[in-house]
Amino acid sequence: MNTVTKFIAIPLGSLLYFLYSFIDNYGITLIVFTVIVRLCLFPLYANQIKHTSKMQDLQPKMVAIQKKYANDKETMNQKMQELYQEEKFNPMLGCLPMLIQFPIIIGLFALLRNPTLYIDNSSMLMAVHESFLWIPDLSQPDSWILPIAAGITTYFSFSMTQSQSTSENAANPMMKMMKYFFPVMIVWMGRSFPAGLTIYWFIGNLIQVFQTIALNKLKKKAKEEKEDSKKKGKK
């Protein structure tokens, strides 16, 4: 058992068991668990979106510098650093939220794929085999409905995240292909994963879609207020 995975999966397993001890329904527990985890990860996600949005705003200036100093790499790098300092922007910080989230996602994956491995309680042995809605056993794969639902939410989540990216990355043929390939892969994988894990993926992506919509509205409102203040300043 990987030490890092165990370090993350065991505390998350304790939270999962704590919720189940109150709710007494494994399917609903998974949904509540997913909401809590996503809310805890939201500041990281919001920071990532904020960083990407800032990168988009700087993109025209960055492109102008790249064109102007295309034959002088040293000066181009110097001008880029000056731009970053002027705008108080650190390009490396965009990777930080993803680096923090990655081990958490791996730990969640391990936990929900085999909960009894990380939860030392006999009641969970029966809980993971409970039925939920049309699913007779949450420890077994659901053939189509959940995987397709997970694939659809993955498509929308990936598309919305991609739209936040820089125009250069958004136009990348590989990124365009991944927008369709990744959801199909999730459907295929979801047909072999325990239904409980697919529920987490589906609900998690659904929450992320709504979080992105909310962030986009706030970002649009802030942009409009900024433009209004500029117009008032000119008057």
Side-chain angles (χ1 to χ4, degrees):
M1 190 187 300
N2 185 284
T3 305
V4 176
T5 302
K6 185 178 178 181
F7 178 76
I8 295 167
I10 289 177
L12 288 172
S14 298
L15 173 61
L16 185 64
Y17 173 69
F18 174 77
L19 292 171
Y20 178 74
S21 65
F22 282 96
I23 298 170
D24 198 30
N25 181 298
Y26 189 56
I28 297 174
T29 297
L30 285 170
I31 294 172
V32 175
F33 174 79
T34 305
V35 171
I36 291 172
V37 170
R38 283 291 176 170
L39 287 175
C40 290
L41 291 176
F42 178 71
L44 291 172
Y45 178 66
N47 189 57
Q48 188 178 334
I49 294 295
K50 182 180 177 182
H51 182 278
T52 306
S53 178
K54 182 70 172 178
M55 177 72 85
Q56 277 185 315
D57 293 339
L58 291 179
Q59 191 70 9
K61 294 181 180 180
M62 292 167 65
V63 170
I65 291 172
Q66 288 168 349
K67 286 181 178 179
K68 187 175 181 179
Y69 302 101
N71 299 320
D72 188 350
K73 299 293 183 183
E74 187 176 341
T75 304
M76 183 178 71
N77 290 334
Q78 183 182 338
K79 292 294 180 181
M80 283 289 193
Q81 290 301 321
E82 289 175 2
L83 175 64
Y84 294 152
Q85 288 177 4
E86 183 184 329
E87 298 289 341
K88 297 178 181 179
F89 177 77
N90 188 342
M92 298 304 294
L93 288 178
C95 301
L96 186 60
M98 293 185 69
L99 291 174
I100 295 172
Q101 289 181 71
F102 185 71
I104 297 173
I105 291 168
I106 296 298
L108 280 165
F109 182 88
L111 169 66
L112 297 177
R113 194 170 189 182
N114 193 350
T116 55
L117 191 64
Y118 301 95
I119 302 173
D120 187 20
N121 193 287
S122 57
S123 64
M124 292 304 293
L125 292 170
M126 298 301 296
V128 298
H129 293 285
E130 286 180 3
S131 61
F132 183 65
L133 299 177
W134 68 90
I135 307 162
D137 186 342
L138 284 167
S139 69
Q140 299 301 312
D142 179 43
S143 298
W144 290 110
I145 299 176
L146 266 180
I148 290 173
I152 291 170
T153 54
T154 298
Y155 171 79
F156 283 109
S157 176
F158 192 91
S159 298
M160 293 174 81
T161 303
Q162 191 181 27
S163 70
Q164 303 287 337
S165 185
T166 61
S167 57
E168 185 179 335
N169 287 336
N172 190 314
M174 180 64 72
M175 293 298 291
K176 286 184 175 180
M177 185 184 74
M178 284 298 294
K179 184 169 76 170
Y180 300 101
F181 174 75
F182 192 48
V184 171
M185 185 181 72
I186 291 299
V187 173
W188 178 73
M189 292 171 66
R191 296 190 71 236
S192 61
F193 288 157
L197 176 57
T198 314
I199 285 175
Y200 169 80
W201 190 266
F202 165 64
I203 298 295
N205 275 326
L206 194 63
I207 293 169
Q208 186 167 312
V209 166
F210 285 109
Q211 285 177 338
T212 305
I213 291 171
L215 285 171
N216 284 342
K217 286 183 178 179
L218 289 172
K219 188 172 71 173
K220 185 180 178 181
K221 185 179 178 181
K223 189 175 181 181
E224 289 173 350
E225 288 175 352
K226 188 177 180 182
E227 288 175 354
D228 288 341
S229 63
K230 281 184 179 180
K231 288 177 182 178
K232 289 177 182 177
K234 288 179 180 179
K235 290 178 182 178

